[in-house]
Amino acid sequence: LANRHRPPANVIVSNVRGPDRMLTVGGRKLKRFYSVGPILGGMGLNLTAWSYAGQLNVTALGNHQTLPHIHEITNRLEYALQDLEQAIAKAKAA
């Protein structure tokens, strides 16, 4: 299908609130939870974020043809989130 039709978007961003408490699988603690979404030909980027037990886990999938250097996005993600936290703190203080 992807070879016959262009995807309806070139970026998908999804976030899902996960459980607030740590889960167990087979009696063992599930330490982290990552999820992935679709990536089709012609689509450049899929960012999926899940909260889980006080964590924020982000998965980035990219199409190498349209986004050959996905690490440039993921390397800057931590700094962008820090900027967002600072902006929120500043807005709350005002």
Side-chain angles (χ1 to χ4, degrees), residues 13-22 30-35 47-60 74 76-85 88:
V13 178
S14 176
N15 67 306
V16 178
R17 181 175 182 211
D20 293 331
R21 61 180 177 77
M22 195 166 283
L30 180 64
K31 294 182 180 180
R32 289 180 184 80
F33 188 96
Y34 292 92
S35 179
L47 286 174
T48 303
W50 278 79
S51 65
Y52 174 68
Q55 304 170 27
L56 177 65
N57 300 312
V58 178
T59 302
T74 57
R76 292 180 176 100
L77 184 58
E78 182 177 356
Y79 300 111
L81 291 173
Q82 289 172 356
D83 289 346
L84 181 58
E85 287 177 335
I88 292 169

